[in-house]
Amino acid sequence: MSQFTTTDGTTLFYRDWGHGQPIVFLASWALDSRVWQRHMLHFNALGYRCIALDRRGHGRSDDPGQGYRLDRLADDVAELLEHLDLGEATLVAHSMATGEATRYLSRHGSARVARALFLAPVAPSYAEGSREAWSMDEPTTEAVLAAIRGDLPRWLADSADGFFLPAETGTTPQLVQHTIDIILDASLQALVECFRAKRVDQRAELATIDVPLLVIHGDRDVSEPVEQGRDVAARVPQSRYIEYAGAPHGLYHTHLERLVEDMGTFLRETELQPACPL
């Protein structure tokens, strides 16, 4: 089993498939490496090495009872890349993981990273006084956390339609249930603390990202509004932005075919560009 131990003594699990230029997949809040397996198979077939991490408290990683601030989560990503001695990596992050990837790049730099792709990113800021009106406010955050603490299975069932839009995207009941099961497998403490961990101001950090970035967001996203993706792309110097009409937050699944095509185009085009000077 592929795993490593972080500097704070937490054992983290990761999937590591194939050989070639590495793509590192970081899952959204509450999910783990299992959601990336079809993407990994696709890019393995194209000659890429695909790696996906289980965040602490998720999947097969340890449930250490601590370490859910963005700095520590970003350090976990850094220590994975160091453990595998990766270079010229592509970071692919969904939702909350885009905040982790941003913190990784601002805290550890881009020496090991050639490019990044953010799917349905979190807001540049959730801090009162700097957040935009379309980002989740503190009272809404507390209401969601109360629902998660009180009856997580019910909250997940109530939220599934908005996450996948199954009637429109053809997402099967089995896939919806599989996703719910992954979340129920995570530490409740990790879910609560990670939900709060993203509520920071990362506007200045986004401006320092010095690698090419592709941002993809769906205009039917009820979890992280599409305005967030537009705002993130506007703040990163070397960014591209693609908006998927009719796509929900779970676009990694609902729009898989288009997504891997757009990812592949981005990889090919940025491989042809000279590296940015340090």
Side-chain angles (χ1 to χ4, degrees):
M1 187 166 68
S2 298
Q3 58 187 31
F4 73 103
T5 301
T6 67
T7 51
D8 75 342
T10 302
T11 299
L12 301 181
F13 170 83
Y14 61 93
R15 301 176 193 275
D16 186 359
W17 298 356
H19 304 278
Q21 186 176 351
I23 305 175
V24 179
F25 293 88
L26 304 175
S28 73
W29 174 83
L31 297 176
D32 62 38
S33 61
R34 282 172 280 186
V35 303
W36 295 119
Q37 293 186 91
R38 290 199 294 160
H39 309 75
M40 294 171 71
L41 285 175
H42 175 87
F43 285 103
N44 269 171
L46 297 178
Y48 291 92
R49 178 183 180 183
C50 294
I51 299 148
L53 177 67
D54 282 2
R55 184 184 293 110
R56 58 178 59 211
H58 297 67
R60 299 187 189 182
S61 289
D62 278 358
D63 179 9
Q66 62 180 353
Y68 297 108
R69 298 294 185 183
L70 276 187
D71 281 356
R72 180 63 253 181
L73 295 172
D75 291 350
D76 290 347
V77 176
E79 291 174 25
L80 170 67
L81 271 61
E82 291 162 9
H83 172 73
L84 297 175
D85 194 23
L86 300 182
E88 292 293 303
T90 300
L91 291 182
V92 179
H94 176 227
S95 193
M96 176 195 161
T98 65
E100 291 167 290
T102 297
R103 182 60 54 87
Y104 166 84
L105 290 168
S106 68
R107 186 170 169 85
H108 296 278
S110 58
R112 293 184 179 273
V113 175
R115 66 195 60 79
L117 190 148
F118 287 1
L119 304 179
V122 294
S125 178
Y126 291 97
E128 295 302 330
S130 63
R131 71 173 189 86
E132 299 291 342
W134 31 256
S135 68
M136 185 179 289
D137 61 19
E138 192 64 25
T140 304
T141 297
E142 289 304 322
V144 172
L145 287 172
I148 291 169
R149 293 187 189 101
D151 191 341
L152 178 61
R154 178 177 178 177
W155 182 81
L156 293 172
D158 290 345
S159 303
D161 280 359
F163 190 88
F164 285 119
L165 298 179
E168 300 171 38
T169 63
T171 302
T172 64
Q174 292 82 5
L175 192 283
V176 171
Q177 187 58 54
H178 177 61
T179 304
I180 290 173
D181 290 343
I182 290 174
I183 298 172
L184 292 175
D185 195 38
S187 157
L188 185 59
Q189 182 199 29
L191 298 184
V192 169
E193 295 201 17
C194 285
F195 198 86
R196 292 210 59 83
K198 71 176 186 176
R199 297 192 59 78
V200 295
D201 182 352
Q202 294 191 288
R203 293 174 299 165
E205 294 176 75
L206 288 165
T208 68
I209 293 178
D210 60 357
V211 296
L213 172 70
L214 175 62
V215 179
I216 299 178
H217 216 122
D219 67 2
R220 295 282 304 279
D221 193 327
V222 298
S223 300
E224 304 290 354
V226 68
E227 290 88 353
Q228 296 180 182
R230 298 169 186 166
D231 195 0
V232 166
R235 294 176 183 276
V236 177
Q238 300 180 69
S239 67
R240 310 178 189 186
Y241 178 71
I242 303 176
E243 195 164 298
Y244 287 5
H249 196 55
L251 79 173
Y252 67 87
H253 167 75
T254 61
H255 289 65
L256 175 68
E257 290 76 14
R258 181 180 176 185
L259 175 60
V260 295
E261 181 178 347
D262 287 335
M263 288 175 62
T265 299
F266 178 62
L267 286 166
R268 291 189 299 272
E269 291 179 352
T270 53
E271 284 168 2
L272 297 176
Q273 294 178 359
C276 296
L278 297 177

